[in-house]
Amino acid sequence: MTRAVLVSRSAAPAVTDVDLPAPGAREALVTVTRSSVNYKDGLAVAGDPGVVRTDPLVPGIDVVGTVAAVGSDVRDVAVGERVVLTGAGSGETRHGGWAEQCVVPVDSLVALPDGIDDDLAAAIGTAGFTAMLSVLALERVVAPEDGPVLVTGASGGVGTVAIALLAARGYRVTASTGRPENGDSLRALGATDVVDRAQFADPGKPMQRAVWAGAVDSVGGATLANVLAATRYGGAVTACGLAQDTTLSTTVLPFILRGVSLLGIDSVAAPLDLRQRAWARLGTDLDPALLRAVTRTVGLAEAIEVGAAVVAGRVHGRTVVDVRR
């Protein structure tokens, strides 16, 4: 048995005791110290069927802790090793990290770099991992000297980490947010300019004045279409979220007239070598103090309430879950 948040179609989310199976082939039992609250976790708390693929379910797409036991055919993960897992079905198709223990697939399990403690790993979580994947993709096409880079959804988890990472690499970052009260915080992360997301929110012309050398978009919808339309020749935009909409109504013009690249970012099924490379870069590129300044910690019961606030767009930065509280 493990203490956890349980989501069920027949009852409201609550902290309770949950039975856990022993780890099977290519699985490990992790004693969880920290998790975090992500957009998907908020949807899980709300019972969204697109996220909750099994009933009942423990949310928590991020798992940080120490390996307590391993199943058969596991030789690449050792008992006692500090590890992090993001996505890979946790909190969707299998019980996730909002629990004191969790069974996880070892093929997506990353040993934490020495410079990243459990609190920082959870603050980074899926959001920071996705931001790092976006930066890795963007920097293959766009150099800092090419011009300004836009980060949409800048007050969210992906946005805040992306700003810090890009600024650390020398990019000039413009943050787009619907919460102007976060302007000082976004500038402290490294943004040189802060703009109102309203200027991107409605459908616009298929080709617009070329402004951005690149962009990290976690919003989708009309925002992504407008960003593509305003990207400079040879620029690139990464797409990793759908906070505004899943649809993308645009034309081929930015692609065939300006050579713009649209780069898809998937953090859920990312292969282990890419996960390891991203976490290694997070250990060297991300200033822990910047992320800790926009991170708060809650217990399991509080995480349920925070999940709803994340979906409503009322949470700035990152929320760590201390599963022992």
Side-chain angles (χ1 to χ4, degrees):
M1 300 289 286
T2 186
R3 179 172 170 268
V5 172
L6 193 66
V7 173
S8 169
R9 296 190 183 99
S10 60
V15 179
T16 186
D17 289 331
V18 175
D19 281 321
L20 276 185
R26 302 297 298 163
E27 290 184 332
L29 175 67
V30 174
T31 298
V32 183
T33 59
R34 300 289 189 275
S35 185
S36 62
V37 184
N38 296 280
Y39 191 82
K40 277 187 178 179
D41 298 322
L43 293 177
V45 168
D48 188 305
V51 173
V52 180
R53 311 288 181 83
T54 185
D55 181 38
L57 177 73
V58 176
I61 64 175
D62 294 337
V63 180
V64 178
T66 303
V67 176
V70 296
S72 60
D73 196 29
V74 175
R75 297 177 181 83
D76 40 357
V77 175
V79 172
E81 194 167 13
R82 289 193 319 117
V83 292
V84 59
L85 180 135
T86 56
S90 292
E92 295 185 79
T93 60
R94 59 193 299 154
H95 288 335
W98 289 12
E100 292 180 338
Q101 287 191 310
C102 183
V103 176
V104 301
V106 298
D107 292 328
S108 299
L109 204 56
V110 177
L112 278 172
D114 291 338
I116 299 181
D117 61 24
D118 290 10
D119 278 312
L120 181 58
I124 293 170
T126 289
F129 174 61
T130 303
M132 189 73 253
L133 292 180
S134 297
V135 172
L136 288 172
L138 193 66
E139 66 185 10
R140 296 199 304 262
V141 183
V142 179
E145 60 268 22
D146 290 340
V149 171
L150 178 70
V151 174
T152 67
S155 291
V158 173
T160 52
V161 181
I163 291 168
L165 290 171
L166 288 165
R169 302 294 288 183
Y171 290 88
R172 183 156 50 93
V173 183
T174 295
S176 166
T177 182
R179 303 179 64 187
E181 67 273 18
N182 294 334
D184 289 344
S185 175
L186 296 173
R187 290 185 178 89
L189 287 166
T192 54
D193 297 291
V194 179
V195 297
D196 192 330
R197 70 182 180 193
Q199 72 182 73
F200 307 104
D202 297 321
K205 295 179 179 179
M207 289 288 281
Q208 301 173 25
R209 184 172 67 89
V211 178
W212 315 112
V216 173
D217 177 69
S218 60
V219 176
T223 295
L224 177 54
N226 284 320
V227 173
L228 288 167
T231 298
R232 296 179 180 181
Y233 191 91
V237 179
T238 67
C240 63
L242 43 75
Q244 181 181 24
D245 205 335
T246 60
T247 62
L248 177 59
S249 299
T250 186
T251 71
V252 299
L253 296 181
F255 310 112
I256 66 173
L257 296 182
R258 289 185 183 155
V260 172
S261 298
L262 177 58
L263 309 174
I265 304 299
D266 166 54
S267 63
V268 175
L272 183 59
D273 61 340
L274 179 58
R275 290 174 182 269
Q276 292 169 332
R277 185 154 55 95
W279 278 97
R281 279 283 299 271
L282 284 161
T284 59
D285 289 18
L286 182 62
D287 182 349
L290 292 178
L291 187 54
R292 289 189 170 111
V294 290
T295 298
R296 63 168 173 155
T297 300
V298 301
L300 283 176
E302 296 169 281
I304 298 171
E305 300 175 5
V306 176
V310 168
V311 174
R314 299 196 303 269
V315 174
H316 173 41
R318 297 288 290 145
T319 303
V320 168
V321 181
D322 183 344
V323 303
R324 300 166 297 186
R325 282 170 51 176

